[in-house]
């Protein structure tokens, strides 16, 4: 296991290096500059580019950026003069992490519960309702859920704040909107896998020994059905990261998703790079954790060799 984790950490670092390089050069191909205002005099424009190192060759800018990044320096934001990107991200990361973590935990746990109930009551009206719910959760984009929740629960019924960030109550609607996709996806995988497990020979053997149906489910079916769910944690995390970009803007949450969109609109290169690296780092770490959990849930799976 230790050898496998070290190998994955090496690939993690290599992946981040490739992402940093590709993102840097792709940004240089973008039209316009961070100082697109035509009213800026030519002399002042030249001074701004020199002050931010944009007058140097691209490869020099690239090497300088990589050197700074290795020391945790992601540069200074063009949008907020004098403010470092690291400080800007640190001041905005808390709301994003809160709603993302809440959505992942709630979506996964409720999805497991819904999928398990649907499998136990397979081919009944409970199964049909759960299946319809899962299809709707995957088919409807989270920004539509966000708009509907905002209109009914905030604007019409005044139960929750309609927008802005004012503590836990402000996080409930964005969390629900983000949790719908992982909930539906988890329920679908859980239901499919658990139906197969409940019809397997070793489950029949457990039943023949006199174990109750709930005992069979709790002791044998749930654990073995969890493996496919763990493998989709990574892709679900990606969905949450992408979805949070839109949902944060809908609810005017001062998070990194909302800042990411603003940085792209203003060509704030250092902030775009910093946030891209943060999203990439979180993604590869989640994928690493899901692989480790995969082996822990089923010890028969040897991660280093991939065989049972």
């Amino acid at each position: 296991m230790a050898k496998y984790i070290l190998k994955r950490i090496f690939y993690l670092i290599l992946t981040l290096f490739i992402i940093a390089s590709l993102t840097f050069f792709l940004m240089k191909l973008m039209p316009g500059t961070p100082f697109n205002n035509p009213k800026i005099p030519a002399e002042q424009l030249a001074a701004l580019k020199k002050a931010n190192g944009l007058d140097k060759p691209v490869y020099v800018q690239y090497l300088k950026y990589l050197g700074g990044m290795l020391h945790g320096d992601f540069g200074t934001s063009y949008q907020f003069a004098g403010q470092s990107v690291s400080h800007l991200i640190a001041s905005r990361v808390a709301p994003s992490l809160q709603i993302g973590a809440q959505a992942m935990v709630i979506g996964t746990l409720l999805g497991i519960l819904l999928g398990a109930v649907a499998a136990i009551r397979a081919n009944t009206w409970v199964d049909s309702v759960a299946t319809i719910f899962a299809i709707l959760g995957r088919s409807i984009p989270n920004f539509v859920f966000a708009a509907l929740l905002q209109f009914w629960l905030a604007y019409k019924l005044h139960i929750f704040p309609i927008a802005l960030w004012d503590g836990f109550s402000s996080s409930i609607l964005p969390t629900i909107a983000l949790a719908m996709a992982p909930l539906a996806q988890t329920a679908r995988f859980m239901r499919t896998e658990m139906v197969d497990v409940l019809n397997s020979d070793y489950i029949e053997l457990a039943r023949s020994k006199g174990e109750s149906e709930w005992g069979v489910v709790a002791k044998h079916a749930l654990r073995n059905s969890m493996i496919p769910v763990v493998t989709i944690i990574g892709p679900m995390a990606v969905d949450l990261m992408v979805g949070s970009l839109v949902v944060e803007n809908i609810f005017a949450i001062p998070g990194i998703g909302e800042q990411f969109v603003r940085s792209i609109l203003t060509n704030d290169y250092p902030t775009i790079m910093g946030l891209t690296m943060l999203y990439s780092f979180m993604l590869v770490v989640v994928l690493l954790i899901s692989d480790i959990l995969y082996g822990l849930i089923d010890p028969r799976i040897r991660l280093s060799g991939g065989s049972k």
Side-chain angles (χ1 to χ4, degrees), residues 66-148:
L66 284 185
M69 193 172 65
L70 290 175
H71 295 86
D73 180 11
F74 290 92
T76 303
S77 169
Y78 297 154
Q79 189 179 359
F80 302 97
Q83 187 169 7
S84 71
V85 172
S86 300
H87 181 268
L88 181 63
I89 293 175
S91 66
R92 287 174 167 266
V93 75
S96 298
L97 286 181
Q98 182 178 339
I99 62 173
Q102 289 176 175
M104 177 62 85
V105 172
I106 293 172
T108 304
L109 292 180
L110 291 181
I112 290 173
L113 179 63
L114 185 65
V117 171
I120 294 170
R121 297 287 182 261
N123 302 319
T124 66
W125 67 270
V126 177
D127 186 19
S128 300
V129 171
T131 301
I132 292 172
F133 187 80
I135 292 173
L136 290 176
R138 285 300 296 166
S139 305
I140 301 176
N142 53 27
F143 60 84
V144 175
F145 281 121
L148 292 174

Side-chain angles (χ1 to χ4, degrees), residues 31 40 73 89 97 119 151 200-201 207 223 259 268 272 290:
I40 299 178
D73 180 11
I89 293 175
L97 286 181
F151 179 76
S200 60
D201 293 337
R207 286 171 177 150
R223 178 168 178 165
Q259 181 58 50
D268 190 351
I272 295 173
S290 66

Side-chain angles (χ1 to χ4, degrees), residues 190-265:
M190 190 71 187
R191 189 262 180 203
T192 302
E193 186 67 17
M194 200 160 177
V195 166
D196 291 338
V197 171
L198 288 174
N199 291 320
S200 60
D201 293 337
Y202 68 91
I203 293 292
E204 291 298 328
L205 179 62
R207 286 171 177 150
S208 67
K209 290 181 178 179
E211 282 198 47
S212 66
E213 190 64 23
W214 284 110
V216 168
V217 170
K219 292 180 182 177
H220 306 288
L222 268 178
R223 178 168 178 165
N224 290 320
S225 304
M226 288 283 290
I227 295 176
V229 175
V230 172
T231 60
I232 61 172
I233 286 178
M236 285 196 302
V238 177
D239 284 344
L240 284 180
M241 291 177 191
V242 175
S244 67
L245 300 179
V246 181
V247 171
E248 284 186 13
N249 274 275
I250 291 176
F251 288 98
I253 297 174
I256 54 177
E258 189 262 355
Q259 181 58 50
F260 198 23
V261 174
R262 290 176 60 184
S263 301
I264 293 173
L265 296 176

Side-chain angles (χ1 to χ4, degrees), residues 95 98-99 102 164-165 167-176 253:
Q98 182 178 339
I99 62 173
Q102 289 176 175
L164 299 177
W165 187 253
F168 177 73
S169 60
S170 304
S171 72
I172 295 176
L173 294 185
T175 296
I176 296 173
I253 297 174

